[in-house]
Each structure stands twice: as C-alpha cells, then as structure tokens.
C-alpha cells in the first residue's frame, strides 16, 4: 500500500482530570492519546489522504491502545516498531481557564520512542512510489539523541526518494532549551520543503527580537531559503512565505474553545491536505485555518473533523444552525 | 379530569454524548427524551396549567420511560395509545460549539407515533368542557400521512368543541421538503387561532424572500388571516400580529447557553400559559420570551423552569446573585 | 491481502444501563457493539488469524463507529458495503441476575444489513487464494429474505472457491419461528463443513425431543451428514461429531461471569482458530472452551482475550494469581 | 379516583457511594429515594393495583423529587401534605459485603413527616368506597409522637370505613428501643387484619426467646388474635398464620443479590397484591416471596418488578435464559 | 505547634448536581465540602501560612470526611471538638447560569457547630505565642446563639493574647435578617483589626443607602473606627481603608468562571497571607485580588491555588500559555 | 511528635479501568494510590496507632497527591523527602475474575523512591523515644540498590535505637529474581524481630520444596532464628512461630471479595497493631486475620477499616445485618 503522507513521532498516553479539576482533586482520569505527528496523521486521514504513522511502541496494553486508537481512524500503523523493553511516555494534562494556565506534567523519559534508532526505519518504505510527503516535528528532535538521528535519517531518505519533506518546529521548553533546539531544527529545515512554526517559536528559537509578523517570516525565510515557511499567529490567523519571497495571509475562522490542544497539528493536517490536493499555498492556508478552527471545538488532541465540515466552514464562515 | 391544554405529537428517546464529544468518540450516552409537543406540555404544567399529552407509544421499557418522564412533571399521559407492534423513534444529538454545528441524527422511521390513526384519538376527550386549547406542530404533520391526518382530525375536533387551536410550524428539513410542508401547514393554519413560527420557517416554507420581520409577519398574517401570528426572531426576541393587523414586539431576555434545544417549545409554553392566564398578547409574548431565556440554561429538551423564576426574570431582567 | 477467515453478518449498536439497572431506571447507557459474526471475527484476530468481516452499514457516525471498533481490533473492514439510505440496527440490553433474566429489546428492523443483496458481495474476494474459511450464522438467515439470500450465495461462492464453510445455527426466537428457521438453516448446513449449535437450538429448531447430548449430536449429524457438528452444552462443555461418526467431548473451564453475551461467538472463534492452526478436532474443542471461559470475564460482546491467556488456561486450568 | 391500597409513611432522600466504596472514600453519591411504605406502594402499582401514598413533604426541590419519583411509577401523590417549613429526611447508605455490614447513617430528625399531625389526614379520602386496604409500618410509629398519632388515627379511620388494615412491624433500632416500640406496635396490631414482621423483630420487640418459627408465629398470633400474621424468615422464606391458627409456609425463591434494601417492602407488596386479587393466603405468600426474590436483583429501594416476571418466576422457579 | 492563623466556623457537606442540572434532574451528586472559614484556612495554607481550623463536628463518617478533607490540605484539625450527638450541616448547590441564578438549599439546622459552646474552645491554644491572627465570619454569628457566643469569646481571647483579629461580615439572608445581623456584627467589629465585607453587605446590613464605594467604605470606617476595612467590589476589585482614613484601591484580575463559590474566602486568604507576610495593605489587596481571580477557575469551594500561580499572575496579569 | 510505628517504602499512583474492563477497553481510569508500607501505615493509624511514613517523592502534583492521601488518614508524612528531579512510580491494574487473572503493568523505573539514599533518612527521628517499631518490606529492597541500602540502614538505625524491626518479604517477580531476592531479604531478616511472608514466597525465595505449612514455617524459623515468623496462608489463614519454636494458628475469617489488593498489608497492620497493644502472638494473629478479612470488601489498596469493625468481627465471626 502506498501513502500520501508518512509521519514520524512519539505518541503518549494522556491522562486528564474531568471538568477543570486540578490534578490534586481528581479521582478519575479521562484517557486520551496525544502526539503531534499522529494528530496530524489522523487529521490528514479524515480529510481524505492516505497516511502511515511511524514510531516505536512497547508491546503491552498501553502501546497497543495507542496503535489501535490511531489505526481506528484509518491511519496505517503496520510499520510501527514494537519492543518488549521500554515504556510508553505519559503526560498529565490539567485543563485551566484564564488566568489559570493549562498545565502539562510530562512523564516521558526513557520511552520506547526515545530509544528508536535510525536502523529501526523501514527502509523498504522509503521508495519513490510509496509516498508523496514526509512530516515530522521538533518534538521528535528534542526527545533524545537517537530520536533526533532517526528523524534526520528519515528526512534524508524521504528527500532521496523524491518526496516532499515537511517540518513543524513545535518547540517544547520542557524538553530542551532554545539553544539546544536551534541547531537541531536548522538541520532539518535545510531538508524541508515546508516549515511550520508558531510565531513565539520563531522569536524564541531563532532569536528574532521583533513583533512584526512580516519581518519575522522574512527572517525565517532567510534561515530556510529553500522552504515555504508557514507562520501561525494564533487568533490572528496564519501567514506563508514561498522560497521566492511571496507572502500569503489567512485570517483565523471564529471559533469556540472546547479544547485547544492539538490545534497546531490540526492546522498542519489541513494545510498539508489542501497543499497536496490543490497545490496552492493560499488554498492550503485556508484549509489549515478552517481545520484548526473546527478542532478547537473537539475534546481530546485528535482533530476528528469531517471533510464536509471544513468545506462548509470555508464556504460560509458563519456557524451553521443545528441541522435537524 | 379537565385540562387547560391538550398537545399531540411524537416524543423520542434522545441519546447524547457527554461533554461535547463527537458521536464517534462516545462510550456512553446521556439519556433524555425530546418531543416538541411534550416539551411544551411540560413547560405549561410547570407554569401552572393543567395539561394532557396525546401520542402513540410502544408498550415496552422505552415507551414506558417516555410516558413516565412526561408524567413525572405533572402532565397527564393517561390518554396515550399503546401498541405492541411498533418502535420508539430515537435520535442522536451531538452537541457542537461554533463553528461546529450541533448534529441531529434521526432514527425515527416507522415509529409508533408515525402509525397513529385519526381513529386512535380519544373522542370522548374532545368535548367542550374537557379543555380550553389544543396544540400541535408541523413536525407531527411531517412524520407520516397518518400522523398528519390524525393531527388535522384533532384540530377539527378541537375547533368543533369550541377550544382554541394553536399550531407551531416547526419546519424540519430532515422530515420533508418545504414544498411538501407548505400545503400541509396551510391546512392547519386555517384552523388555528394561534400560529407560531421562527423567522427562518416563514422565509423558507412560505417563500417569503425578505429579511424585514415586519414585512414577513404581515405576509404570514395574509396567509393565515384569522390567526394571531407569533414570529420568533432568535436573539432578536419575538413579534406578534393579531388578525386585525396589530403588531407587538418583545425583546429577548439576555441569557447563557447550556442547551438551546427545546427553547422554541419553551417559548410556546410561556406564551400559551400567559395567554390563557392573562388573555393579553403583550403579556403572553413576555412570558414566552422569559421562559425561553431560562430554558437556555437547563440541560435536556424539557423546560424545567419554575414559575417564580419566570416572574422574577420579568420583574428584573438582570440575573440574580446566588441566593443563599 | 488474503485472509484465514471471512465472516458475514449484522453488527448492531448495543446500549446497556450500567450497574444492573433496569432500562426504566437508566439515565446513561454504556455503548458497545454486538454482532455474532463480528464477535467471532475479533476473537479470531486476537488469536492470531487474519480475518475480514463483510456487512452492509449506513454511512453515518453510527455505522462508522461499528466499522472503526471492529477495525480497531485488526479485523479488515475494507469490504463492507456502505449505504446512504438505511439505518443501523440497535438493541438495548438490560443485564439481570437470577431470577431476573437479562432482557434484550431489539430495534433492528429495516437495518442496512437487512437490505444487503447477493449482488453486494465482493465477488473478487471469493477466489481460492483469498481465504481458507467462510463463517456465518443463522441470525443472518433470519434477518430478512435478502440477507438470507446473501448468506447462501456467499456460502456457495466460498464452497466454489474451495474454502471451508462454517455455520452457527444461533437461533433467535425474536427474529423468526423454529418452523421458519429449520428449512433455511438446513440449506446452509448442506454446504457447511462445520456446524455449531447450542443444545437448546438442536432441540427446538430440529424438533429433537431428547435430553441426551450424544443422541442429539447424532441426530444432528444425520441431518448434516457431511459436516462436523459441534454441540455446545453451556456449563457442561461442548461435544463434536465428525462426518464419520466419531465423537469428542470437552469439559468447560471453570469461570466467573462478568458478561455472558458473546460467549458462543468466543467459542466459535477459539474452535475455528484451533482448527485452522492444528487441524485437530480435540484441540479445536479445547481452544473453543478456553476462549469462551475467558470471555465470560470481559465486559461487552467482544472476546478481547489474549492468545497467551488461552494457552495459559489450557496449560493449567486453575486461575492464576495476580501477576505482579 | 378510588384505590386498592393507601399507604402512609416517610420517604427519605438516600445517598449512596457507588461501587462498594466507604462513605469516607466517596466523591459522588448515587441518588435514590427510600421509604418502606412508598416502596410497598410502588410495588403494588407495578403488580396492577391502584395505590395512593400519604405523607408530608417540604415544598422544595428535594420534596418535589420524592413525590415525582413515586408518582412516576403510577402511585397517586395528590394527597401528600406540603409544608414550607421543615426538611426532608436523608440517609446515607454504605453498601458492604460480608463481613463488612452495610451501614445506614440516618439524618432524619425534624423531617416534615415527623411533624405530620392527625389533622393533616385527608379525611374525605377515608370513605368506604375510596379504598380497600390501608398499610403502614412501625417506622412511622417510631419517627415521632405526632407521626405515631397520625398513623393510629389513619388506621382507625380506615377501620371505620370498612377497609382492611395492614401493618408491618419493621423495627428500627436507630429510631427507638424495643421497649418503646412494643406498646406502640401493639396498639396498631389490635386494629390490623394483616401483621407482617421479620422473625428477628418478633424475637426482639415481643421478647420471644425462641428460635422455632412455628412457636414464634403462634406467640405473635396470641398477641394479635384477630390478625393474620405473616412472619418473614429471610433465606428460609415466610410463614403465615390466620386468626384461626391455620399455618402456611412458603420457601424463598433462589436469588442473587444486587441490593437487598427494600426486599421486605417488596414482599409486602407482593403479598398484599396477591391477597387482594386472589383472596388466598397461600397464593399471597407465593406472590410475596417471588416479588421479594426479584427485588434482590434490582438497584435501589424500589421494587421495580414487572407483573409478568413475578408470574413467570412462580410458574418456573428456575432463572430464564437471556430472552433474545 | 504554633500557627500564623486560627479560624473558627462551620463546614458543611455540599452536594451538587453535575453539569448545570437542576436538583430535580440529578441522579448523582458531586460531593464537596464548604465553609467560609475552612476555605480561608485552606487558602492560607496553600500560600505558605501555618493554619489551624476550629469547629465542632459529629464523630461519624461525614464529620470525619470534613476533617480529613481540610487536613489533607495541611490545615491543622487536631483542635476540632467531636460529638456523638449532633448532625453535620448539609447544603445542596444547584449551579445556574444567567438568568438562572445558582440556588443554595440549606439543610443546616441543629448541626454540631450550631451547638458549639464557648466552653468548647481550647483555651490553652489562645496563648500569645500560639498564633498571630484569629479569623471568623458573620456566618458563625448567624448560625445560633451559642455559636455567636463562641465566636465572640474566641475573638476576646485572641485579643487578650495579643493576636490580630480578622472578621468577614459575610451576610447570609437565609440565616438571619439584616436587623438581627447588624448588632451582632458590630460587636465583633469592635474587636477586629481587619474587617472584610462585600459592598452589598455594607449597604444592606449597615443601611448605607449609597452606591459610591468611597462613601460606603468611609461610612463603614466610621462604624469600625479602629479597624482596617476591606470592601470587595466584585468585578470592580477591592478597596481598603485604614483606621487613619487612608484609602487603597485594587482592580480585579481578569478571570473566567468555573465556580464562583468561595471566591470571597479566597480573597480573604490572599489578603491575610499577604498582610502577615509583607505587612503592607496595598500588597495584601493585590494578593487577595490575585488569589480570588485564580479561585474562579477551580471547581468546588476550596481555593486550591498554588503560591507560584498567585505570584506569576501578579507579575503578569495576562493569562499564560499552556506550559509544556 | 513520637510514633508507635514508622514505615519506609515506595507508594505509586495506581490507575484502574472501572468495572472489570481490560486496559484496552478503558476510557477512564479510577485513581488510587498503592504502596505496601503506606497501606500498612494507614491500617495501623485506623486501628489507633500513631504512625509515620518515610519515602522520597517528586515535588509535583502527583507526589503531593500521594502524601496528601496518606496524610488524610492520620499518617504523619512530614519526614518524606522531596525532590525536583525524579518521577512518581505508576502502575496500571486490570481487575480480572477467574480464570482471567488480575494484571499489574508496572511503570516504576527511575522513580523518586528508587533513588532514595541512606543519607536521606531523617536521623534525628531514629532515636529511642521517637518510635517503638520500624517496618519495611522486600519490595523496597528490590526497587534499586540505593533503596535497598536505605532500608537496611533504617533497620540498623531502628535496631540501634532499641525499636522492634518488622519485615515483610513480599516478593515481586516483576522486580527481581528469587535468586536476587534471597540474600537481600536474609540480610534484613537477621535484623528483624518480626518476619511476615506468604507461603508461596517461603517456597520460592527460600527454595523450600514442601507444601506442609508447619514444615515450611520451621524452615523459615531456622533461617531467621531470632525472629517471630508469620506465615500467611491465604484462605487457610495464618501461622506464627516464635524464636523458641512455639507455633500458633489462626483461621481466616469468611469474607467476600471486592478487592484483594492490599490484603497482605492489612494483615500486617492488624497484626502489628494487636502485637503492640496486647503483646500477645495469638491476639496479634487474630487482629491480622480480621483486618485482612474486612479489607477484602473495600475498593482500593488502603485498608480503610474501622477499629470497631475489627473488634466486632472478632467477637462474632458472622456477618452482621444492615445496621439501621
């Protein structure tokens, strides 16, 4: 089977107290799974792309739950590497409301994915006809040295196979410092046709001391001269800059928050799906913004949007009535 | 026992995923019941009217649950027709938040109510002294030919008994087309002393291509020349027009959404209760708007408002503090 | 992709009040799915077989949930036929404890599967190398005439392709009378290499007025002279009789009830898996009994057993301690 | 409206930690209602009798919930006396399993019912044609002096109207001492045609220092010489003794415990229903035992049995299979 | 052990229907505890103060739950007085949203705390070195005469020991009239170094017929000439006035409501903690406002804020991003 | 503050699917905490002993939850060592019923406790007057080399302070092999006055190839010649052997299983409490058996028994009726 997109990354068990409780108040946890690259994979599959997700998982009930949940949403998980030895990364998410920030307590050290090696990559998969695009994020680079080497190798193999390479900087301050992240991300950005990054990552990881988004995206463009750069601006929408310096802007669609986690990944899924289908930056930005906007209304990390919802939102930005 | 109001219609089992989950995410459903005419009946009973609800139900646990739930709120269900053969209609409600619309997935074909016949009506009930007003909606007309015939017969019997007849257009696009709905609704509107309809139904069912609510209500008044027409305008409130062309306007009370479903039925309940008690259109509009506003804050379809809450809201439009 | 087993049948949404509540007490339902042939398919996949499940589903959130849940457990659902027009069958299960029987309230009329036609079968799949065994049950025969025709056609195609055919009588008194079931089942039994039936079905469907299991199995063997007959005896275990009249007996493994539903399907899954792997009737019976015994301890219809649990139970019939 | 049976007593809000948790572990309570006489009333209504329940309730949300829950099961609550001043009695039930006893923590002082006065009785109801039987229990006697006076007055009015009087001793050690209970119960027993009591109450309240049930029932018969005495023996079944000294014995039906609370009240409901319908002590005992046996399998205090289940259990004492 | 603060008051069991249900809809209650003075005690402990809470509790599972819950958050409960005779006060909280007010249904009569006597105070504790500040509220004064006497005695003992005395008027209309509350509160205010009151209490209890907060605080200052008066203004923030007439103003921090109950107590906790630590009114006001603002986002009455959250909010009033 | 008992060990977060679900089925986890030595500490506190628990915890919400939960039940946690660097151990418990074993999936590597050092022990605590008995288990020895060294040092310090030393072998096959466990346990047993071990640990860790409990206990006695050895026999009860070879036997009290986890720790708690209070082996055995029997009926690991329940069970082995 061949794929439109192959993503690589870590997916963790996510445990969340219900109803805005603090972790210290909880007597039950809601169980979700969360991982930037599998979130994007699920979103791509919902929008009609064929997708596979690569990772390394422990062969226990928790690892199987991760694979089954992703597989349930039509993402191929048959190339996942299984191990008897390591653990599944876990994180605890406490939902806050302003001024109480949502809190993430990571318990991800020594996970199976953090010990994935370049040798674990299914090299027969990295052939020209097997896929069109490879996607990973800076989280995978920051997990461990071996995960970083694996992601770089995968990007190189993808490039060599003639696929597009897509990279989301996705800086996580609890994983590594900006000083550590910068050189690592730069390496991957040199291979990437598409680079996604939120404006705050542009500022912090690449020391861009400016608040003007146009200046910022041009500065990132200078660092990644062969890439199309996509800068997400939160409530302000998103911008793109092609390698030849052309700028595109897309406003955010109005939205209501049920859960913000995973909206960046939903954006990438929408952008990549639109990009692969229509090969047009403006259209891709619009798909990204619409997909992210709908994701905000869905509990959990996964962008369980329907393609017709995205299309209908793009056709009419105003929320529809109850359909009955 | 005699009644202020008798309503006729279908009530279904409603299954809802908790917490804004999508249907595909749910592992439990919250159980409610929902039916426009029983919603209105419960609201009327809460406001102090004596009410009976007519319908046809399967004599199994689900049918009994519907009758018991409605009966629990002081609505008489002793004239319901029971059958051993048909099913209870069901619908699945997925709560959305903008831009994700709430979704209703109906599974209502071949329900017991859809097979109710005019002969099933308890004719001894349709006597002058047994009630003051009969109420039904366009949903009952749209369910099936036999339900439509039953509703028309009931309206004729009510008229013959000298009761008032009240009709809410309540167009449902998943039941029938506007082309089908128009002639059917017109038949009932000729019998109706009171006609309720949301502005969007006025536009779509009666092809009124205008956005001005005054023009619209006058056009509906022309179609139903003997009726008082009540046009609900959502956040803009409601209007009424008497048969002699007099116009009344009522702003909506500010409100917060917990669940919007059933707010039209709550409006009818408030209006009809005020109308029967005070025999004044402006007062009735005010009761309707206040009841609907409080309903927005209550989970489920049923308008479980207290009479004193409605009175207190009308006395002071500003939300009260925690009473302790 | 090729398969060890292909099963065909209907899977419904199952709604269950938690905690032994009566349907009339419930305010939430637990959501499961249940269908004899998909239960067996999931069990087979858990035990290491490659399996596909054939059916017809409505293309809405409920139909997708059924396919995703089955697919989640490594059963191929890519040959399911989707329709925009029909509904998903539903049933309500009230768990009882003696002397209160568990109650099933079916709401399955006019389901998508009941309108499956022989033409809907993916004929390219019914080729010699694509599978080794086809399995269906008497439930599929009893749903509707077109489902019956579809199941018969599938069995004929399987036979023509040189596969084994397996049939579980699985009589459901709420679907059809024994007088209706008998000729229909007999037709399929003539095609079947393996026939499963509980002792009470043998007695009622085939009018065998005897309580002796050896006499009964021989009488069924006379009716299905070319089949291996497997008679399940509840707490008494199971028997098999080959076409040449050889008898095998297997005691039940001691077990504790969490949920009995689906244990017959778990038995078939265990038997068929053992039969295909070891080609030995006594071994197959043992796998069937062990799988059913573990299923009793698992909530829901699906036999979510692990292969190592079945092996470990067969190795030592005594329950193991907490493994820690 | 006229009734077969009228019962009088207190019904409380019951709060229960789910899943055998201790009160100190609970973070949620399941909400039920419980009251001996309303339990019996609901059971009688389920078995086909027309029933009214008399009590005094606070006119707040909790009081309304009690009335609505009882009314939901077809028991008339229109003669309940409402007050703006007192509270609803509450109790906390911690479910145990042996050797940990279930614990009841009462918080029932100063309840509305404990302040009911004889004057609160709806005297127009106590007319010959309005009912056939009046039922109350020793709990009502023990709550307060005014409740005791009310129950006695009601029994006298019933007697005067020519109804049967039924009394269940139902001793509660947390309400009063046996020394206090004895004279009070004796007063009511002199008016009673039917006296129910568990064997342990016979022993403790009436100082019968014997373990032989035949001796005990005869001793109680001597104390209540005009009554039919019904002695419940737990797992050993029940006995009855008519005023002329005739003895009847009924074994218990085998059963499984989901919740034992309310099984004595279910027994009374079954007995009284059978007695009023068939006017035969042996039949009444059999209805009582069967109803109690099914009640054991139902969560909550209320005997939500179906008449056909009782009949079917009496027809065949063995638990039926899953009906599907 | 010595303490920064000792508080005295009643804590009740609080039962709340989940998800904005009305009390009449609820089938489960969420269990919390709530009491103004224990809320403040928990908040103080979270901010780093050493705190003890004084009260009188029934020695049953409910009383122990109250003590254990407060003790769990590092508040000393070893001086609580236990009784075998009285009950725990209870209240039912129905969460509303505008225009439906949240409703509190109290069931607190005859509670153990309402029967606390001045003699129950642990006099060895009221020694100069054992604490720095005593805090109670008008609720304790309003519960009963004996609770009022106990609170007054405690304040006198604290004063005699050289501690600061802090008093929150906290008027509850369901406990007593403003005419009853005024003289009682005035007595305590004469002893108090710090007096907290919401603006509406200033207006109603002290008959200050003015809407200008500066005028109001000066009027209260005139009544309590030796106290620092702290006036809370809801969304408008808070003001303080020292005995020498100096005024301080603090705006509210922007916030989102998860649950408003207990925010006044959170304000007191923040103010007192800041006051004891920094001995500066402006700083104390800022700590109070920040603590209350974070409390709004936390379910239940208890201010489970972290000290670093308060500091971080004061450092930057804008809500932080998800920390990951 | 001084203590009767000080325990040392690791406590983990325990996550459990509700209702006998498999881990792969769960969508929520119930949250408990579990650790052999804290279980015993809580049990001791419930029975009236003063207790402190020593451990090392991460200073995050999860670590605080562990300390608060233990502290809630009157166990002193003020000597716990806090760290900013390590994680809290976690385990997933899947409840089974025979023949499906309960499964424990440990995720405990690199926990804060596994990195506790002998230097972390609060040496000022290990003084003669500060406690009477020190208790730890073989789990602490098996976690890591540094935890083992810490436990040994603590036992030596306790011995030096003149306290009793108590040791429960508590072998965990998922932590270490019996070959690794044997020498480590032997070292601690040489210091121990009391040695607890289940019969299966005696057989496996000390290679005692015999099924006769008397032979086994004597063999263990030979290995630990200065200790009183307590051998638990599951459903068969428990035995003790004093250093001078005297044997005691105690049958198990009949019980019902709600949750078996933690029953060994409950036994130790009961035994130690009885031993410290009555200084009699037979009495201690009886307290141990009764406490364990009641624990079986309580959800979670913690032995939340009441002292009066233990006394009442010992007074009358038969389960009491519902106390009401």
């Amino acid at each position: 089977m061949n794929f439109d997109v192959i993503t690589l990354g870590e997916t963790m068990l996510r445990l969340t107290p219900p109803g805005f409780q603090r972790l210290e108040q909880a007597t039950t946890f809601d169980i979700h799974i969360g991982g930037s690259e599998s979130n994007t994979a699920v979103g791509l599959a919902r929008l009609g792309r064929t997708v596979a997700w690569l990772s390394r998982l422990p062969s226990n009930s928790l690892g199987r739950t991760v694979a089954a949940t992703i597989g349930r949403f039509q993402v191929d998980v048959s190339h996942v590497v299984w191990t008897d030895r390591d653990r599944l990364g876990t994180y605890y998410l406490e939902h806050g409301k302003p001024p109480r920030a949502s809190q993430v307590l990571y318990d991800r050290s020594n996970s199976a994915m953090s010990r994935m090696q370049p040798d674990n990559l299914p090299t027969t998969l990295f052939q020209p006809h097997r896929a069109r695009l490879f996607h990973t994020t800076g989280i995978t680079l920051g997990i461990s040295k071996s995960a970083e080497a694996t992601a770089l190798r995968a990007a190189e193999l993808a490039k060599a196979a003639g696929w597009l390479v897509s990279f989301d900087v996705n800086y996580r301050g609890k994983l590594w410092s900006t000083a550590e992240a910068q050189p690592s991300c730069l390496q991957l950005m040199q291979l990437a046709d598409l680079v996604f990054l939120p404006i705050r990552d542009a500022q912090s990881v690449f020391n861009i001391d400016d608040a003007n988004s146009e200046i910022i995206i041009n500065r990132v463009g200078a660092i990644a001269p062969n890439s199309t750069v996509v800068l997400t601006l939160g409530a302000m929408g998103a911008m793109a800059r092609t390698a030849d310096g052309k700028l595109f802007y897309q406003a955010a669609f109005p939205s209501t928050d049920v859960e913000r986690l995973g909206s960046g990944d939903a954006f990438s899924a929408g952008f990549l799906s639109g990009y692969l289908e229509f090969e047009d930056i403006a259209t891709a930005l619009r798909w990204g913004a619409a997909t992210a906007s709908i994701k905000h209304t869905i509990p959990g990390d996964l962008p369980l949007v329907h393609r017709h919802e995205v299309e209908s939102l793009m056709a009419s930005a105003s929320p529809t009535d109850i359909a009955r």
Side-chain angles (χ1 to χ4, degrees), chain A residues 17-308:
Chain A
F20 292 99
Q21 288 179 99
R22 306 221 74 156
L23 277 174
E24 296 169 68
Q25 296 178 289
T27 55
T28 60
F29 285 138
D30 291 333
I31 306 173
H32 290 268
I33 63 162
S36 177
E37 298 87 352
S38 56
N39 293 346
T40 297
V42 166
L44 282 159
R46 302 284 289 196
L47 297 175
R49 306 281 77 76
T50 53
V51 196
W53 173 70
L54 303 181
S55 194
R56 189 166 175 268
L57 286 174
S59 52
N60 58 27
S61 294
L62 302 179
R64 277 192 296 273
T65 294
V66 166
T69 304
I70 296 170
R72 176 185 170 140
F73 296 108
Q74 278 80 53
V75 172
D76 182 280
V77 294
S78 65
H79 295 92
V80 164
V81 179
W82 296 90
T83 170
D84 281 338
R85 302 202 18 218
D86 302 314
R87 60 186 291 268
L88 186 74
T90 307
Y91 71 106
Y92 300 84
L93 170 68
E94 180 184 294
H95 281 300
K97 289 210 177 183
R100 174 161 69 94
S102 289
Q103 294 289 337
V104 171
L105 173 58
Y106 285 119
D107 182 9
R108 66 192 301 174
S109 300
N110 303 309
S111 68
M113 180 60 206
S114 76
R115 291 176 177 164
M116 190 170 184
Q117 305 286 347
D119 289 358
N120 294 144
L121 289 169
T123 43
T124 60
L125 187 66
F126 284 83
Q127 305 302 327
H129 64 291
R130 299 300 304 278
R132 297 174 60 195
L133 185 146
F134 170 77
H135 175 78
T136 194
T137 78
I139 296 170
T140 309
L141 303 183
I143 293 169
S144 69
K145 282 290 159 198
S146 78
E148 182 187 33
T150 304
L152 276 166
R153 171 82 61 86
E156 289 162 357
L157 290 171
K159 203 78 189 169
W163 309 353
L164 295 170
V165 169
S166 160
F167 176 68
D168 186 343
V169 168
N170 232 342
Y171 175 70
R172 292 285 184 268
K174 294 194 173 178
L175 277 181
W176 54 354
S177 68
T178 54
E180 292 167 311
Q182 198 193 67
S184 179
C185 289
L186 281 175
Q187 255 189 295
L188 225 150
M189 283 158 77
Q190 303 319 310
L191 296 165
D193 301 280
L194 294 162
V195 171
F196 297 87
L197 76 176
I199 192 166
R200 67 169 182 274
D201 290 4
Q203 294 164 316
S204 63
V205 177
F206 301 110
N207 310 314
I208 303 178
D209 187 13
D210 205 299
N212 178 301
S213 54
E214 198 169 324
I215 291 175
I216 291 171
I217 201 167
N218 282 325
R219 293 275 292 278
V220 178
I223 295 169
N226 303 314
S227 316
T228 293
V229 176
V230 184
L231 192 70
T232 54
L233 312 168
M236 303 300 297
M239 292 182 78
R241 178 191 183 278
T242 51
D244 58 3
K246 216 158 145 191
L247 291 185
F248 300 80
Y249 174 69
Q250 169 67 48
F253 289 87
S255 186
T256 321
D257 276 9
V258 170
E259 164 142 7
R260 290 200 80 84
L261 256 78
S263 58
D265 306 323
F267 180 90
S268 307
F271 185 97
L272 292 175
S273 180
Y275 186 76
L276 290 173
E277 187 168 351
F278 302 102
E279 304 190 350
D280 176 75
I281 297 289
T283 305
L285 273 175
R286 195 161 169 80
W287 276 77
T291 306
S293 158
I294 298 170
K295 166 61 197 77
H296 291 164
T297 71
I298 296 171
D301 286 49
L302 297 173
L304 301 180
V305 301
H306 293 281
R307 185 182 167 95
H308 67 82

